[in-house]
Amino acid sequence: MKLGRMNHIGVATPDLDAAIAFYRDVMGATDITEPFVLESQQVRVCFVNTPGESGTAGTQVELLQPTTPDSAVGKWLEKNPLGGQHHICYEVPDIHAAKAWFEKLGKRVLGEPRVGAHGTLIFFVHPRDMGGQLTEIMEAPTHEH
């Protein structure tokens, strides 16, 4: 497996609308997607698009608000009530090959690949196996599957 582009940093928040206002009014973000609910992960989500260099796409900030307190993000916010960095996401060309790679190395893959907020397949790797950071692996959006 080869490390791909960092697609986004997931930031959990107890109030998505307040987080959007913060990125717009304090951080100067001008490109923020419309929020939508991702039922499969029980979150309301949107993306803050950061500028890239030389025509490339910048890394996104994925803002996540749980739709229920017993969701994974809801439980995380219970321990971190102010919110903050929840996960980091890297792109790979082949999600199934990446999953096999991490499992071969003995890393704890959390569940089977499933459709994420970008509409491509994702999975997470346990933070205890990733230097303390919950890591999302995402099939690159341009990859046909």
Side-chain angles (χ1 to χ4, degrees), residues 6-26:
M6 183 188 299
N7 181 278
H8 67 267
I9 297 170
V11 175
T13 177
D15 184 339
L16 187 64
D17 296 323
I20 289 169
F22 170 81
Y23 276 90
R24 183 187 60 234
D25 301 341
V26 177

Side-chain angles (χ1 to χ4, degrees), residues 33-56:
T33 68
E34 280 296 314
F36 62 96
V37 174
L38 186 60
E39 288 293 342
S40 63
Q41 294 184 33
Q42 299 176 306
V43 291
R44 187 169 165 238
V45 60
C46 74
F47 292 94
V48 178
N49 294 307
T50 66
E53 293 184 16
S54 305
T56 63

Side-chain angles (χ1 to χ4, degrees), residues 61-131:
V61 178
E62 179 185 41
L63 299 176
L64 303 158
Q65 177 185 351
T67 57
T68 177
D70 62 345
S71 67
V73 175
K75 291 175 185 173
W76 188 90
L77 274 175
E78 192 175 292
K79 297 175 189 167
N80 305 277
L82 295 178
Q85 184 178 326
H86 179 261
H87 67 272
I88 192 164
C89 176
Y90 296 101
E91 294 178 1
V92 296
D94 183 326
I95 197 76
H96 300 290
K99 180 177 182 283
W101 169 261
F102 282 108
E103 289 174 337
K104 178 181 162 193
L105 295 175
K107 306 298 183 190
R108 284 170 278 191
V109 172
L110 305 174
E112 291 300 313
R114 57 206 173 272
V115 176
H118 285 91
T120 66
L121 292 174
I122 65 158
F123 64 83
F124 287 88
V125 186
H126 198 287
R128 288 194 183 116
D129 294 331
M130 300 299 286

